[in-house]
Amino acid sequence: MTTETNVHSRNLVRFAADKPEIVVLSGDLTGSTEIRAFKDAYPDRFFSLGMAEQNMMSWAGGMAREGYLPHVHTFAVFMYRRALDQIEMSIAYPNLRVRMFGFLPGITTPGGVSHQAIDDIAVLRAVPNMTIFEMGDATDVESVLNLAHDIDGPVYVRMIRKEIPRLFPSDKPTEYNKARVLSKGTDVTVVSSGIMTEEAMRATACLQTKGVSVEHLHVSTIKPFSDERVILSAARSRQGVLTVENHTTIGGLGTCVAELMAEHGMATKLRRLGLRDTYAHGASQHYLMSEYNLDAMSVVRAVEEMVGEPIGVTENDLATVRISEFTATAQLEAL
Amino acid sequence: METTDSGVSGERVAAIARGIRRRALELTIRQGGCYLSQALSSADILALLYGKILDLGPSTAPPIPEAFPGVPRPGFHPVGADYNGPRDPDRDRLLLSAAHYAVAVYAALVEVGRMDPTGLKQFNADGSSVEMIGGEHSPGMELTTGSFGQALSQAGGIALARKLRGDSGRVFVFMSDGEFEEGQTYEAIQAAVFYRLGNITVFVDVNGQQVDGATKDVMNIEPLADRLRGFGASVESVDGHDVEAMERAAARPHENHPLFVLCYTDTARGVSLLETRKPNLHYVRFASDQEKQVYVDYLETM
């Protein structure tokens, strides 16, 4: 597995090259949301709206009504928390083609509670007309502009930035409402999204060597959530389903899976890893993942409980299957 | 008879305004309650806009509004603004920010022949698109603006898009003074000034009243003109019942600045019976049949 840098930045410049209707709106976070390259490449299509997110969201709605395709960039919290009414009345109700790129999902930032989007999916999933994608790797990021482009309505992208892993082949783009099957198995189904997929991959690789048959699905389309692969896999799993998300367990991926399982009449057990109805705090991603049971070892322990016996995976086992290196650069960056 | 370049006489504008007031009172009596004071304070502003200032093409909507067509969804977008004519590059647009003024806009549409008078009979009826606080499916409305302070931001996006395209048509926004208590309004002014959007003209109905009473007692917004000038906007303060003064104010050149025409108005204008009920006129209903009859009698004199 490799680590890549500024994938969205490059992809946006490439994607917008032959689409003059694409405009980018920035909320004073141009460098932090990887749109400086767009600004340099297409200065006439870049609009600085300053630290005024309510205005920026409604403004985007106005431009979308006139046939432009606004790609709005800021930290997620400043969109869905600060400007929710504007998203709903100026964008979602009129079903306008505005693309919202929300950065700093969950515990990916040391910026603390004010910067950590821990409930964005729960909030925006409830908004009618909204489509939601969550990014887990470079291939997800490279695919998402294309996925969004086909959608006649607003789109929220839970975006990752700077150094991100390449977990999936670049020639196998992410598909709409289709989970990526990372391993096949019948004991336990693990459904993960976003940055949690890399952790879950480390865990499932170890679990497989210890004889646990794990089916691992990576989800990129959070809304709509009706993928047959998830339904069939959950139905097949002998010991239950485990969801792993960088988000509160109320209203996120775990809830999506729970709803789907209940609607299909499954009596299968479901365990959800995620933030357990709590805010987080400012610290490194690595530290927070461990503190809130969002790391590979937490996945292993959850599976152990589901199969009802110790599996014998150690930290050393996990270390040998590290998918990509953590870096401390995020902690040094100005917010 | 005095006429202007557009060939519309002052008497014609006054007649439209009288019609707006009469129809709004009629509706209030028939429905047992309505946003009457808003129609009374804004009648002259809307009459001037629809009767004289706005360069609109003919309505492309059915004279009698169709039933509520459903919410916007992929492949379907209702456009109440079709009553204002096609959204051509060289035509003006009117964006109603204070959606509680819908009744005044509906009445204005009837007065200028864009909507059939029977359309008003659907006002606030179940299944009708002629809603009490309209949305973008409602006659004359292009945006969904019942949540205050959002239209000016959307107007900014629209005006910027039109400027980028080189449209000659202008963007007019009708706001109420209460919206100047909302923080987003100032974000929008800041951005419209920053992007030098001279194609925006905002008419503000400064009627000094809101739900809880007089604006000065609920949350003071004055000195509004100074505030707006401080933001770098062009501002004119006028008597909102003096049509000529408003027209002169709106004609002020403002090539690189949004222009705000602050129209100071009276919520009992034309129906002085309401004087005694000030400042609690946000939604007018009658306490008794006796009181209602007084207004019925008054309507006959209008």
Side-chain angles (χ1 to χ4, degrees), chain B residues 12 96 114 123 150 183 212 269 281:
Chain B
R12 172 72 186 124
L96 175 65
R114 291 176 179 271
F123 181 80
Q150 295 194 30
D212 274 5
R269 184 76 174 197
L281 287 174

Side-chain angles (χ1 to χ4, degrees), chain A:
Chain A
M1 302 291 165
T2 57
T3 297
E4 303 197 16
T5 308
N6 297 341
V7 179
H8 177 60
S9 172
R10 285 194 302 280
N11 192 48
L12 182 61
V13 169
R14 178 193 61 76
F15 187 75
D18 62 349
K19 299 175 188 69
E21 71 276 19
I22 290 183
V23 292
V24 164
L25 275 53
S26 173
D28 189 39
L29 288 167
T30 299
S32 304
T33 61
E34 298 197 2
I35 45 178
R36 192 171 298 289
F38 182 97
K39 181 185 181 185
D40 292 342
Y42 318 113
D44 297 343
R45 291 198 267 151
F46 176 91
F47 298 96
S48 170
L49 272 304
M51 287 191 288
E53 293 81 7
Q54 297 182 358
N55 177 64
M56 178 162 68
M57 302 319 292
S58 294
W59 193 281
M63 293 194 83
R65 284 177 186 273
E66 294 302 305
Y68 285 90
L69 193 49
H71 284 49
V72 185
H73 288 69
T74 186
F75 294 158
V77 288
F78 304 141
M79 292 189 191
Y80 80 95
R81 281 187 186 153
R82 194 179 193 99
L84 180 61
D85 189 26
Q86 286 73 18
I87 290 173
E88 296 225 29
M89 290 298 101
S90 298
I91 296 171
Y93 174 73
N95 193 45
L96 295 169
R97 295 183 77 213
V98 173
R99 280 74 182 99
M100 292 168 269
F101 296 86
F103 286 75
L104 309 188
I107 47 77
T108 58
T109 173
V113 60
S114 60
H115 285 59
Q116 293 164 337
I118 61 157
D119 49 2
D120 49 337
I121 290 171
V123 169
L124 293 177
R125 204 164 72 87
V127 173
N129 292 331
M130 188 67 69
T131 297
I132 301 174
F133 298 112
E134 179 172 15
M135 303 292 92
D137 92 321
T139 301
D140 269 352
V141 172
E142 283 171 355
S143 309
V144 76
L145 297 180
N146 222 19
L147 290 178
H149 204 65
D150 293 335
I151 292 164
D152 181 12
V155 176
Y156 173 71
V157 180
R158 194 172 207 236
M159 188 50 101
I160 49 178
R161 61 177 190 160
K162 306 299 177 198
E163 290 169 29
I164 62 175
R166 169 86 64 186
L167 303 177
F168 318 126
S170 58
D171 61 350
K172 296 258 183 336
T174 304
E175 294 179 77
Y176 178 73
N177 198 17
K178 265 193 191 165
R180 211 181 269 271
V181 181
L182 305 180
S183 70
K184 297 289 285 180
T186 51
D187 287 337
V188 173
T189 290
V190 174
V191 184
S192 64
S193 63
I195 62 159
M196 297 318 303
T197 291
E198 183 180 352
E199 286 301 300
M201 284 170 80
R202 292 172 59 207
T204 56
C206 278
L207 289 166
Q208 302 274 26
T209 64
K210 304 283 180 185
V212 184
S213 173
V214 179
E215 182 143 309
H216 183 192
L217 303 176
H218 168 70
V219 168
S220 307
T221 307
I222 302 283
K223 188 185 176 191
F225 197 82
S226 55
D227 182 5
E228 206 171 54
R229 294 172 189 217
V230 176
I231 300 166
L232 292 176
S233 180
R236 272 198 308 265
S237 68
R238 284 196 290 260
Q239 307 281 0
V241 178
L242 173 67
T243 58
V244 195
E245 60 191 309
N246 170 30
H247 184 275
T248 169
T249 51
I250 299 172
L253 177 70
T255 302
C256 294
V257 172
E259 289 172 0
L260 211 53
M261 289 171 69
E263 283 170 355
H264 286 79
M266 293 179 210
T268 318
K269 270 192 301 187
L270 171 69
R271 270 190 67 103
R272 294 171 295 155
L273 287 183
L275 294 168
R276 305 297 301 190
D277 197 19
T278 179
Y279 290 104
H281 61 103
S284 73
Q285 177 175 323
H286 191 54
Y287 180 93
L288 294 173
M289 284 173 107
S290 170
E291 179 179 0
Y292 291 103
N293 295 326
L294 294 170
D295 56 2
M297 187 50 88
S298 303
V299 174
V300 169
R301 289 198 192 105
V303 172
E304 273 180 337
E305 284 174 31
M306 292 168 78
V307 300
E309 58 190 72
I311 299 166
V313 175
T314 64
E315 288 286 357
N316 275 344
D317 295 333
L318 288 170
T320 59
V321 293
R322 186 172 286 283
I323 306 289
S324 69
E325 295 298 318
F326 283 106
T327 63
T329 52
Q331 237 172 325
L332 302 174
E333 190 180 356
L335 293 165

